[in-house]
Amino acid sequence: MTSSLRFRAAVVSIVLFAAFLGIWHLATRSTGAVGNMSPEYAKLMGLTATQGKSAMPGPLDVGAKLWEHLRQPFYDNGPNDKGLGIQLGYSIARVGLGYFLAVIVAIPLGFLIGMSPLISKALDPFIQVLKPISPLAWMPLALYTIKDSSISAIFVIFICSVWPMLLNTAFGVAAVRKEWINVARTLEVGTVRRAFTVILPAAAPTILTGMRISIGIAWLVIVAAEMLVGGTGIGYFVWNEWNNLSITNVIIAILMIGIVGMLLDQILARFTRMVTFPE
Amino acid sequence: MSTFDNPFDPNRRLHAGGCSCGQHVSEAEHQAAQLQVQAAIESEQQRYEGVVASAVMRAMFPQDVARRAFLKSVRAATAAAALSQFFPLKTATEAFAAGGPLEKKDLKVGFIPITCATPIIMAAPMGFYAKNGLNVEVIKTAGWAVIRDKTINKEYDAAHMLSPMPLAITMGAGSNPIPYTMPAVENINGQAITLSIKHKDKRNPKDWKGFKFAVPFDYSMHNYLLRYYLAEHGIDPDADVQIRAVPPPEMVANLRADNIDGFLGPDPMNQRAVFDGAGFIHILTKDIWEGHPCCAFAASKEFVTSMPNTYGALLKSIIEATAYAHKAENRKEIAAAIAPANYLNQPPIVLEQILTGTFADGLGNIVQQPNRVDFDPFPWQSFAVWIMTQMKRWGQIKGDIDYAGIAAQVYLATDAAKLMKEAGLTPPAATTKSFSVMGKTFDPAKPEDYLASFKIRKAS
């Protein structure tokens, strides 16, 4: 029964996708020659002006261009022209570094906040003010004070991925069932050991949920950050292709950003399942 | 015995096994070290020779294909020997190296992907930087504010800027005041007013009330020229129309989406709007002010003073590239060199139309204007004075302004003149000149009178 459900769902997915491609193709078809132009004049004009080609590329254009990119994802023609694979690599490295720094800061701090009501109350106003600030609002400040654009981008990733992790860790730690802690206390388990053997396993699913939200946000932000600072990365790629008014490449970049974002999310989802336990 | 030996060290070797300089354990080791130093000096010389030889080679065979065919038939060593027969490579190398050692050879120069940056960009693929011993990376940058910040942060050693920007930065308008210099103008002319195709019957600016226009940056010639043009036609640019700062690529998209009615923008965006059938070219800016400056090559005062030789070599490359770009017969080749994704990332036919001046205007005509864009590096100080009058006219700067003083401090006309002479050009003897904008003569000696003569201006 389940396999048949899965099969039917797949069929519906494919039909929807095919319909989407079909409508897209029909909507962006060229309308044939427009106006009467002299041949010399037509030579100086683009396809949109001469053949009524839609400014929006069709699925076939995107497919052909995508194939071109996938055939050589790692070429490097100097500072301003690199393959899609290299651009994604830069973005993933930036996200990875900023996110790793956020993990180092957020999880111990979250633990502290969750275990100590005093620190929780004391830090709360700061967290509440800093949390809702849009990551990109930090960008000009970071550029101005850090004076290095690539470190600024990493800083922005750090500052935006730290809050969900911090709050979830604190919440997870604070919500560990009192009985378990009391049992540990009865058995005279020390604070450090209690943190590692009782609280950490109990809070792990919540902590990982926070980490999963954070990586999603980090990946959302990197594109905008790279558009601003430029140089390398998938965000720069989007900006550069937009500069060339190449909507085809912009669509391809959007597709790639979606796929990588999904992969990052899936990796953390798998970790979450690994540490989740039945009660 | 060396003075660098520590006499208080009880373990110091006392026997005479050391070398003559005392820094090596034995005479043999001393000699080996000497040889290494010698080799380093020699390789430096060889490198210079290599740079000069390749520059000569490039000059003789500007076409890659022809050069390769020649090299294939005779081998590189033979080719170099043959070249030295009729070109004194050794002498040229010495003359080239005499400029003093470069303080820094690997430089980063930022640019915005528009045709105004042509000399800065083409100097990389066409070998003008390498000829002067520099290894320059030209880096595409996301916008004028980013280019300003990255040069101030020293991520870039120098950059492509709009000619009013170094003045604005020096005076602290729109940023912290930092002494900036503009040793060369990149291009003159080269902009246009492009209108949406739906306005093709509204060619009289008096009909433009309520229009929405875009310019690339507040401190730009685009902004000042558009405002000037509108005001001369009786349209108050602050009250009757809306002018917004929009990045160039978004201009074409906004034009197509009917978000704006027109723009005064840099190329390739004007021609791209025509190419895509979204707009038409209403007027070239050369018809507003023939020979107006637009973009510039700029560096911080600190870079100029702390690395004079590097600065000299860089400026020389730019001036030579500008001189090369000035010649009409080179324009097609330049269009091909800067079209790839690494630089402007545009269809070559678009760039060719802009640089050769034979272009489709979007209304069905093929126009011939060989001066559509031109390249002339000389930073006339009167240009700076004119720009400051417009800054004051539109309320960007206020109060008394030392027009001539700031102009002389920022627009380094004497440096450009010296290097232009070295590059075989004839720079003008004066640093200011009078010119006319839309038929109205500008006297750089009387900026305040000029300013007072405008009816439409922001009340200050």
Side-chain angles (χ1 to χ4, degrees):
Chain A
M1 191 63 202
T2 44
S3 81
S4 115
L5 176 67
R6 190 177 288 175
F7 175 74
R8 281 182 297 158
V11 169
V12 174
S13 293
I14 290 168
V15 168
L16 281 177
F17 187 60
F20 168 69
L21 288 184
I23 293 169
W24 182 9
H25 179 70
L26 290 178
T28 55
R29 253 180 341 169
S30 60
T31 52
V34 288
N36 38 348
M37 292 179 190
S38 69
E40 297 104 275
Y41 186 80
K43 241 190 277 172
L44 301 177
M45 301 295 281
L47 290 175
T48 319
T50 51
Q51 289 172 23
K53 198 173 182 308
S54 167
M56 201 60 196
L60 295 176
D61 304 323
V62 174
K65 198 85 195 168
L66 182 63
W67 175 237
E68 212 176 284
H69 280 296
L70 292 181
R71 266 175 47 198
Q72 39 167 205
F74 297 111
Y75 73 87
D76 186 352
N77 293 341
N80 308 311
D81 183 17
K82 294 180 179 13
L84 206 53
I86 296 184
Q87 304 285 25
L88 280 171
Y90 272 106
S91 297
I92 292 172
R94 272 189 199 127
V95 165
L97 191 57
Y99 183 73
F100 176 67
L101 292 174
V103 169
I104 292 180
V105 172
I107 292 190
L109 198 60
F111 242 83
L112 200 62
I113 294 173
M115 286 171 78
S116 155
L118 171 72
I119 293 182
S120 168
K121 281 238 157 37
L123 290 184
D124 192 56
F126 300 108
I127 295 175
Q128 295 307 329
V129 170
L130 290 172
K131 189 175 58 130
I133 297 173
S134 158
L136 280 186
W138 292 102
M139 201 70 207
L141 193 65
L143 267 177
Y144 203 83
T145 48
I146 300 176
K147 294 191 188 295
D148 183 298
S149 53
S150 57
I151 299 179
S152 301
I154 292 168
F155 167 77
V156 167
I157 296 301
F158 166 81
I159 202 82
C160 75
S161 42
V162 89
W163 309 117
M165 262 193 273
L166 187 68
L167 291 178
N168 268 282
T169 307
F171 172 74
V173 170
V176 173
R177 282 161 74 173
K178 286 286 164 288
E179 300 95 87
W180 297 350
I181 294 175
N182 289 339
V183 168
R185 207 170 270 154
T186 319
L187 295 174
E188 294 188 346
V189 178
T191 321
V192 176
R193 200 164 156 220
R194 195 165 72 222
F196 277 96
T197 54
V198 181
I199 298 176
L200 184 62
T206 327
I207 296 176
L208 270 156
T209 307
M211 289 172 71
R212 193 173 159 192
I213 298 171
S214 283
I215 196 88
I217 294 179
W219 189 247
L220 276 184
V221 170
I222 190 71
V223 174
E226 283 172 345
M227 262 185 169
L228 220 62
V229 298
T232 47
I234 192 75
Y236 169 76
F237 180 83
V238 173
W239 173 80
N240 192 15
E241 292 306 331
W242 170 226
N243 214 50
N244 171 31
L245 298 170
S246 166
I247 306 299
T248 318
N249 276 326
V250 171
I251 292 174
I252 288 170
I254 289 173
L255 190 68
M256 288 295 152
I257 293 167
I259 289 172
V260 172
M262 182 187 75
L263 289 179
L264 289 175
D265 188 66
Q266 288 304 309
I267 292 170
L268 278 161
R270 179 149 298 178
F271 278 127
T272 314
R273 274 199 296 278
M274 273 164 60
V275 296
T276 308
F277 51 90
E279 267 185 44
Chain B
M1 278 293 132
S2 164
T3 41
F4 297 107
D5 260 358
N6 182 1
F8 297 101
D9 182 4
N11 299 322
R12 188 167 63 113
R13 298 169 72 125
L14 293 174
H15 59 85
C19 69
S20 48
C21 81
Q23 296 202 47
H24 305 97
V25 180
S26 68
E27 191 64 31
E29 203 163 297
H30 171 80
Q31 273 172 0
Q34 289 289 15
L35 275 177
Q36 259 179 4
V37 173
Q38 195 72 25
I41 294 170
E42 267 167 16
S43 77
E44 179 85 338
Q45 251 166 14
Q46 268 170 4
R47 218 182 56 78
Y48 274 130
E49 257 175 54
V51 168
V52 171
S54 63
V56 172
M57 195 69 187
R58 275 222 173 82
M60 296 200 49
F61 297 100
Q63 240 82 43
D64 282 344
V65 183
R67 185 170 68 239
R68 190 172 296 171
F70 173 67
L71 284 176
K72 264 197 184 144
S73 59
V74 301
R75 297 278 187 87
T78 326
L83 270 183
S84 62
Q85 290 285 312
F86 50 87
F87 189 89
L89 274 185
K90 281 262 186 236
T91 325
T93 310
E94 274 160 28
F96 162 69
L102 298 172
E103 297 87 354
K104 190 175 173 189
K105 291 196 183 84
D106 299 309
L107 300 178
K108 286 195 170 132
V109 175
F111 73 94
I112 301 280
I114 52 179
T115 44
C116 301
T118 299
I120 290 180
I121 302 171
M122 65 177 256
M126 300 177 92
F128 286 91
Y129 294 127
K131 188 178 139 198
N132 287 309
L134 294 170
N135 175 24
V136 175
E137 254 187 289
V138 286
I139 299 173
K140 209 184 279 186
T141 311
W144 294 113
V146 180
I147 242 180
R148 178 195 63 205
D149 292 345
K150 284 193 171 185
T151 4
I152 290 174
N153 288 350
K154 302 198 186 98
E155 275 181 57
Y156 295 156
D157 299 283
H160 165 208
M161 282 190 182
L162 294 156
S163 49
M165 278 171 72
L167 293 167
I169 296 174
T170 303
M171 289 188 283
S175 72
N176 277 348
I178 292 168
Y180 242 71
T181 66
M182 195 190 97
V185 169
E186 280 297 295
N187 69 310
I188 56 173
N189 302 336
Q191 326 300 319
I193 296 179
T194 299
L195 292 183
S196 166
I197 202 81
K198 71 173 179 189
H199 294 308
K200 65 170 179 271
D201 300 322
K202 287 194 186 164
R203 296 300 295 272
N204 188 344
K206 291 193 167 52
D207 302 335
W208 292 358
K209 276 198 180 166
F211 270 30
K212 279 177 261 175
F213 285 102
V215 293
F217 198 62
D218 284 343
Y219 300 94
S220 68
M221 286 307 291
H222 311 89
N223 190 14
Y224 306 138
L225 287 173
L226 178 63
R227 283 166 174 270
Y228 193 103
Y229 182 77
L230 291 171
E232 287 296 294
H233 286 95
I235 305 263
D236 183 337
D238 284 311
D240 299 335
V241 296
Q242 201 191 87
I243 299 179
R244 9 169 136 148
V246 171
E250 288 168 30
M251 290 175 173
V252 179
N254 275 310
L255 202 64
R256 191 188 274 136
D258 253 357
N259 257 345
I260 54 174
D261 298 282
F263 59 81
L264 198 156
D267 270 315
M269 293 312 156
N270 300 298
Q271 199 59 46
R272 191 65 199 260
V274 172
F275 184 78
D276 288 355
F280 69 93
I281 294 177
H282 168 71
I283 184 177
L284 297 177
T285 50
K286 75 180 262 300
D287 298 329
I288 300 176
W289 170 2
E290 173 73 56
H292 73 80
C294 181
C295 283
F297 170 70
S300 70
K301 185 112 202 166
E302 191 193 333
F303 175 72
V304 174
T305 47
S306 69
M307 299 188 196
N309 295 333
T310 305
Y311 157 74
L314 187 60
L315 183 55
K316 201 169 163 202
S317 320
I318 299 278
I319 286 179
E320 284 167 351
T322 313
Y324 189 82
H326 170 70
K327 295 201 180 91
E329 67 267 26
N330 299 332
R331 297 281 178 85
K332 261 196 175 169
E333 180 197 349
I334 294 169
I338 63 175
N342 211 352
Y343 305 113
L344 289 193
N345 200 9
Q346 289 285 341
I349 184 73
V350 171
L351 296 183
E352 218 169 86
Q353 291 184 63
I354 296 160
L355 291 175
T356 61
T358 301
F359 60 93
D361 66 353
L363 298 168
N365 312 309
I366 297 177
V367 183
Q368 304 240 357
Q369 292 272 17
N371 281 344
R372 172 172 178 176
V373 56
D374 205 348
F375 302 93
D376 180 354
F378 194 71
W380 289 99
Q381 284 165 7
S382 42
F383 288 169
V385 176
W386 187 87
I387 290 168
M388 283 183 273
T389 63
Q390 300 303 305
M391 286 177 163
K392 193 166 174 187
R393 179 180 181 186
W394 305 117
Q396 287 180 334
I397 51 175
K398 292 187 167 61
D400 289 333
I401 294 152
D402 173 16
Y403 291 97
I406 295 172
Q409 184 197 338
V410 178
Y411 281 38
L412 302 181
T414 37
D415 283 20
K418 191 181 116 213
L419 287 160
M420 279 170 81
K421 259 187 220 129
E422 281 179 25
L425 302 168
T426 41
T431 56
T432 61
K433 68 170 174 183
S434 175
F435 45 82
S436 73
V437 184
M438 290 182 81
K440 186 173 172 130
T441 311
F442 170 64
D443 179 359
K446 293 175 188 150
E448 285 293 336
D449 294 355
Y450 181 71
L451 190 50
S453 72
F454 292 111
K455 237 193 303 169
I456 296 182
R457 50 180 295 191
K458 213 169 193 171
S460 54

